[in-house]
Amino acid sequence: MCVRGSDVVVIQSGKRPGEPSVITVNCPDKPGLGCDLCSIILEFGLCITHGDCSTDGKWCYVIFSVVPNSSSQKVDWESLKNRLFSVCPSCLGSYYFDQKPAAASPSIYLLKLCCLDRKDVTKSLSELEFTIQRVKVMTAPDGRVLDLIFITDGMELLHTKQRRNDTTEHLISTLGEYYLSCELQLAGPEYENLKGFSSLPPEVAEELFSSELSEKKACSQGLMVDLAASKKASVIVDNLLSPAHTLLQIQCLDQKCLFYDILRTSKDLNIQIAYGRFYPSINGYRNMDLFIRQADGKKIVDPEHLIDLCSRLKEEMVHPLRVIVVNRGPDTELLVANPVELCGKGRPRVFYDVTLALKMLQICIFSAEIGRHSTLDREWEVYRFLLSETCEFPLASNRARSQIVDRVRRTLLER
């Protein structure tokens, strides 16, 4: 079987305002394809309302219904289609090669942006289809701000003069009188230097990465778990219905990146979803039916394997990321952490959503950095924001800190 390139990804826009658009992907299968598709959809500021996916291990068919996160948001559907197509395996390759060679990692560029004052540039970078990999934000005593932003280009055209000129013009247009200058260049050794950011104090790391769902931990600001909601998150295993697959029936609270978290976990655990149905949200809850099998094509019968799988899935449903506010010497620091895919990719739009949440609270960021932290069982991407104190928002108060954690979590998770 083979389809024309134009038919691999088909997007049918909603006919009326608020009506979901339908994305259909029909192509050869590869491990983790569903996760990769979800990640790109989320990068474009879209929310998946429901979907279906099926595969025989060689060919897959995926349908997602999507809506923008905000009614005022404009979506470049053609660019989205091209990005989705870029991660789909070649139809020709599926017939003549056992395995398609892995695509080269996108080039990383350093954007040096200087402004008169702290301005939110994440929206501008998202509109340009840039993905932030690392960032260092510095504020000079005279109020000028220097952003060192390491980015990858979704369009992979930053090596061209036209793309660079378009980037500069877009930044000038969006920043207006605050714009001073910008430089774009391939990242050098400074990128590796920023990857190894200062280590977390042991007590901070303990609070940030704890996964215990006890009442004591649930009351900590790092998890902020609603115990009643966590008890309603369930994974039921059925090994009798299908002779070839293990059925997982999942129910949990709805959240913005739920499908991505489920598919990311399946990808990292090397679990193949032969058929999956993601039902629309009802009263804030989501149901999913997943017919899964191991990489060798067999159903999962080992009890310990099933317990580990269900435990991991439930953890991702209840608290897929961590948010805390801590003291950093005399200053106040916001930390946000999320698991990294085994391939090294981080969660989409985290930096954008966190800066948006802080902007809504009218809290300024003095400096920001992104790094990695390893625990016993996984690697985490950690965002560290040094916050500026204001008279309107005293950061030392527990009430203010709870407000920050709550707003950031809601912006990251709620649709």
Side-chain angles (χ1 to χ4, degrees), residues 64-84:
F64 288 128
S65 293
V66 302
V67 294
N69 285 324
S70 66
S71 57
S72 61
Q73 181 179 332
K74 295 182 179 179
V75 180
D76 187 340
W77 295 106
E78 188 62 29
S79 182
L80 172 60
K81 179 177 179 179
N82 292 335
R83 288 284 304 281
L84 293 172

Side-chain angles (χ1 to χ4, degrees), residues 269-285:
L269 297 177
N270 206 16
I271 299 296
Q272 184 186 72
I273 300 176
Y275 174 76
R277 169 156 290 183
F278 307 97
Y279 296 93
S281 178
I282 300 178
N283 297 326
Y285 282 85

Side-chain angles (χ1 to χ4, degrees), residues 184-374:
L184 262 171
Q185 64 190 55
L186 277 170
E190 64 271 23
Y191 176 70
E192 294 299 326
N193 293 337
L194 272 186
K195 286 177 70 175
F197 74 157
S198 54
S199 61
L200 298 173
E203 63 276 9
V204 173
E206 169 65 22
E207 181 178 5
L208 189 60
F209 300 113
S210 174
S211 61
E212 294 296 324
L213 293 180
S214 65
E215 185 171 0
K216 179 180 178 180
K217 293 293 184 180
C219 292
S220 76
Q221 60 168 334
L223 297 183
M224 299 292 285
V225 175
D226 181 341
L227 283 180
S230 69
K231 291 176 181 178
K232 291 183 180 179
S234 65
V235 182
I236 299 175
V237 178
D238 186 340
N239 259 327
L240 300 177
L241 183 63
S242 170
H245 305 94
T246 295
L247 170 61
L248 299 182
Q249 295 177 301
I250 298 173
Q251 183 185 62
C252 63
L253 278 173
D254 192 17
Q255 58 194 32
K256 189 187 299 183
C257 297
L258 178 61
F259 297 150
Y260 167 78
D261 289 324
I262 297 297
L263 294 176
R264 170 180 55 81
T265 303
S266 301
K267 177 183 178 181
D268 288 349
L269 297 177
N270 206 16
I271 299 296
Q272 184 186 72
I273 300 176
Y275 174 76
R277 169 156 290 183
F278 307 97
Y279 296 93
S281 178
I282 300 178
N283 297 326
Y285 282 85
R286 181 80 66 171
N287 288 285
M288 289 165 276
D289 291 333
L290 305 179
F291 288 83
I292 64 172
R293 56 193 175 203
Q294 300 175 126
D296 59 7
K298 298 179 181 179
K299 64 194 307 183
I300 306 173
V301 295
D302 180 15
E304 291 188 5
H305 190 179
L306 287 171
I307 291 174
D308 291 342
L309 172 61
C310 293
S311 175
R312 179 75 174 268
L313 286 171
K314 188 171 182 178
E315 180 182 352
E316 298 298 337
M317 290 185 288
V318 174
H319 50 100
L321 45 80
R322 314 289 193 264
V323 184
I324 62 173
V325 176
V326 298
N327 293 324
R328 186 174 179 180
D331 302 311
T332 302
E333 185 176 47
L334 167 69
L335 293 99
V336 180
N338 56 265
V340 175
E341 296 178 31
L342 288 182
C343 64
K345 291 173 58 179
R347 190 183 187 87
R349 287 175 71 90
V350 172
F351 194 88
Y352 177 90
D353 284 340
V354 174
T355 54
L356 175 62
L358 294 175
K359 182 179 180 181
M360 290 189 291
L361 291 171
Q362 298 183 338
I363 297 176
C364 294
I365 303 171
F366 181 77
S367 67
E369 57 181 319
I370 309 173
R372 299 290 171 97
H373 180 92
S374 296

